[in-house]
């Protein structure tokens, strides 16, 4: 694994915007950064792919353990009224895109290590699937890239299409940066490429029809299938949570992703995994109590690296602010990311679609990867 310094394309902004990535720079720094790239050998990619496939197997076992143990499920800070809907969805296996991004630590030598699984509302999708592929095709046409993510998403939608109603609503919040809007629009593109008709929808425009006991869009059209780029842990705490329970009991709306994704996306899954598979080469020790030794404290429910702290020798050496943590924390042994350049620590986002490892995206930032971390492309060379 080598970090190369490059000269960006002269018109790179126009090219990534043409691909849909209008959010390519933050207030203080670039988000899409093609002044560097990572080079992997084929053997290194094989190890990342194998680790991703193995981690999916471990998550299946952990999910089974959680839904089968009421006391364990209670550790996830999920409102008790939603425990049965989670169990029922897990057993019923409703239609699901079943995709996500394993965030991994990897130094090119030891086994890749799991940090967490973003599988309810994973972002950095368009840049991983499309933008970096187009960059590679133009800049390094003779090299390869670990990237069949776009094709895998289209194929998965095509497999789901016979089970879905005529229209799929795709919802997101009206975010100022445009990141959620971009991700939702890209997912609509992949669904439509599979022959599924879609409609855009803002989360705040979802309504409830009291007589028909169903969710509707701003035009009062019944929502029968919904992909929502909005966390389940927020949904179950909204004012319309009682209507959500009613809807889940009726089972007449396809939620993509299903409510059981609340288990996998919750940091409480990390101690469960370690208890089930102690010493596994792709896992880091994790617990619900502060361990002896260096560790990372993570809220059960958090996003974009918020409220994370790194503890070394009983001192906090790095931390991020945020509004999370009231539900509790887990503690994961500290993994020392390779510092590939001063202040540059890469986290590998390994994508999976329905159990298959299909691509890689890299975020490069400080000791804690936050929403200001850069996305940098990669190639396979050797």
């Amino acid at each position: 694994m080598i970090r190369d310094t490059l000269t960006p394309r002269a018109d790179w902004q126009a090219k990534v915007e043409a691909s849909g990535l209008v959010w390519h720079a933050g207030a203080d720094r670039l988000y899409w950064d093609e002044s560097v790239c990572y080079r992997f050998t084929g053997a290194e990619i094989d190890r990342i792919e194998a680790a991703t496939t193995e981690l999916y197997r471990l998550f299946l076992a952990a999910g089974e353990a959680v839904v089968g143990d009421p006391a364990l499920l209670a550790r996830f800070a999920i409102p008790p009224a939603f425990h049965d809907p989670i169990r029922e969805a897990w057993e019923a296996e409703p239609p699901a895109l079943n995709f996500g991004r394993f965030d991994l630590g990897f130094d090119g030598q030891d086994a890749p290590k799991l940090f967490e699984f973003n599988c309810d509302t994973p972002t950095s999708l368009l840049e991983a699937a499309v933008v970096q592929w187009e960059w590679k095709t133009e800049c390094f046409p003779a090299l390869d890239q670990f990237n069949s993510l776009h094709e895998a998403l289209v194929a998965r939608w095509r497999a789901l299409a016979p089970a879905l109603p005529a229209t799929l609503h795709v919802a997101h919040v009206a975010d100022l940066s445009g990141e959620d809007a971009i991700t939702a629009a890209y997912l609509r593109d992949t669904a439509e490429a599979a022959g599924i008709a879609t409609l855009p929808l803002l989360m705040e425009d979802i309504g409830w029809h009291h007589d028909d006991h169903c969710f509707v869009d701003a035009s009062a059209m019944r929502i029968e299938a919904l992909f929502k780029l909005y966390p389940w842990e927020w949904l179950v705490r909204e004012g319309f949570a009682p209507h959500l329970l009613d809807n889940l009991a009726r089972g007449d709306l396809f939620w993509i992703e299903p409510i059981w994704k609340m288990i996998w996306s919750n940091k409480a899954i990390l101690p469960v995994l370690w208890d089930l598979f102690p010493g596994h080469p792709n896992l880091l020790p994790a617990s619900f109590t502060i361990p002896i030794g260096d560790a990372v404290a993570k809220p059960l429910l958090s996003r974009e690296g918020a409220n994370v702290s790194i503890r070394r020798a009983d001192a906090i050496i790095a931390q991020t602010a945020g509004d999370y943590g009231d539900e509790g924390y887990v503690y994961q042994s500290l993994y020392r990311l390779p510092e590939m350049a001063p202040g540059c620590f890469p986290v590998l986002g390994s994508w999976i679609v329905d159990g298959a490892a299909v691509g890689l995206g890299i975020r490069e930032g400080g000791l804690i990867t936050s929403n200001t971390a850069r996305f940098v492309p990669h190639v396979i060379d050797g």
Side-chain angles (χ1 to χ4, degrees):
M1 186 171 73
I2 298 172
R3 183 183 190 270
D4 278 346
T5 300
L6 308 172
T7 299
R9 295 168 292 177
D11 54 352
W12 70 265
Q13 295 97 331
K15 288 182 175 177
V16 301
E17 287 175 10
S19 299
L21 189 63
V22 296
W23 183 66
H24 52 66
D28 302 317
R29 64 195 304 181
L30 294 177
Y31 169 66
W32 166 266
D33 188 357
E34 59 181 66
S35 68
V36 298
C37 82
Y38 280 77
R39 292 177 181 264
F40 294 87
T41 66
E44 289 170 335
I45 292 296
D46 287 345
R47 296 178 68 192
I48 295 166
E49 185 174 5
T52 303
T53 304
E54 171 66 0
L55 285 167
Y56 185 79
R57 183 186 72 83
L58 302 188
F59 268 79
L60 287 173
E64 193 71 23
V66 172
V67 298
D69 186 340
L72 191 54
L73 183 55
R75 300 297 300 267
F76 282 63
I78 297 168
F82 288 91
H83 289 189
D84 282 343
I86 287 172
R87 294 188 190 98
E88 290 162 5
W90 178 268
E91 296 298 333
E93 298 185 19
L97 197 55
N98 200 11
F99 77 130
R101 190 189 74 238
F102 288 108
D103 285 347
L104 308 175
F106 184 55
D107 60 7
Q109 303 297 321
D110 296 327
K113 301 290 188 182
L114 172 72
F115 294 151
E116 58 193 59
F117 191 21
N118 295 279
C119 63
D120 184 17
T121 58
T123 53
S124 74
L125 182 60
L126 174 69
E127 44 271 51
V130 176
V131 180
Q132 69 166 341
W133 178 260
E134 292 177 347
W135 164 88
K136 183 217 75 77
T137 301
E138 179 177 350
C139 297
F140 295 97
L143 301 182
D144 201 357
Q145 187 177 84
F146 182 26
N147 197 350
S148 60
L149 179 52
H150 178 83
E151 294 78 7
L153 289 170
V154 173
R156 184 58 186 162
W157 282 122
R158 188 173 291 118
L160 294 178
L164 297 179
T167 303
L168 169 72
H169 284 80
V170 178
H172 64 92
V173 295
D175 57 324
L176 292 176
S177 71
E179 182 180 13
D180 285 2
I182 290 167
T183 304
Y186 173 61
L187 283 165
R188 286 186 63 209
D189 287 345
T190 59
E192 290 177 356
I196 298 171
T198 72
L199 284 175
L201 180 63
L202 292 176
M203 289 298 301
E204 52 263 42
D205 288 339
I206 297 176
W208 177 255
H209 195 292
H210 290 273
D211 292 336
D212 293 341
H213 293 267
C214 66
F215 289 109
V216 295
D217 64 16
S219 301
M221 177 181 178
R222 185 187 188 113
I223 301 172
E224 297 180 299
L226 177 68
F227 179 93
K228 44 94 197 151
L229 196 68
Y230 193 80
W232 271 109
E233 63 260 28
W234 294 358
L235 280 176
V236 300
R237 290 172 172 81
E238 300 279 2
F240 60 72
H243 301 317
L244 180 57
L245 284 168
D246 184 353
N247 174 265
L248 290 168
R250 289 174 176 270
D252 55 4
L253 192 163
F254 291 104
W255 290 90
I256 302 174
E257 298 286 75
I259 193 170
W260 63 256
K261 279 290 187 86
M262 287 184 75
I263 301 173
W264 283 4
S265 62
N266 191 305
K267 307 301 187 299
I269 199 71
L270 299 174
V272 175
L273 286 162
W274 187 252
D275 287 345
L276 289 173
F277 306 102
H280 192 284
N282 297 128
L283 298 177
L284 293 166
S287 68
F288 290 104
T289 57
I290 299 176
I292 297 172
D294 300 343
V296 179
K298 299 180 176 182
L300 298 186
L301 306 175
S302 68
R303 318 196 76 76
E304 301 284 5
N307 298 100
V308 171
S309 61
I310 297 177
R311 300 159 181 257
R312 185 178 293 166
D314 297 325
I316 295 176
I317 64 167
Q319 61 183 336
T320 53
D323 300 322
Y324 303 99
D326 290 345
E327 297 82 5
Y329 283 77
V330 299
Y331 301 88
Q332 190 178 52
S333 290
L334 178 63
Y335 177 87
R336 287 173 171 78
L337 286 166
E339 189 171 12
M340 304 298 289
C344 296
F345 301 88
V347 171
L348 309 189
S350 186
W351 288 89
I352 195 158
V353 176
D354 203 33
V358 294
L360 177 67
I362 302 170
R363 299 289 299 277
E364 190 180 70
L367 289 174
I368 299 174
T369 305
S370 69
N371 60 352
T372 63
R374 298 177 299 274
F375 187 102
V376 296
H378 77 278
V379 293
I380 304 173
D381 186 8

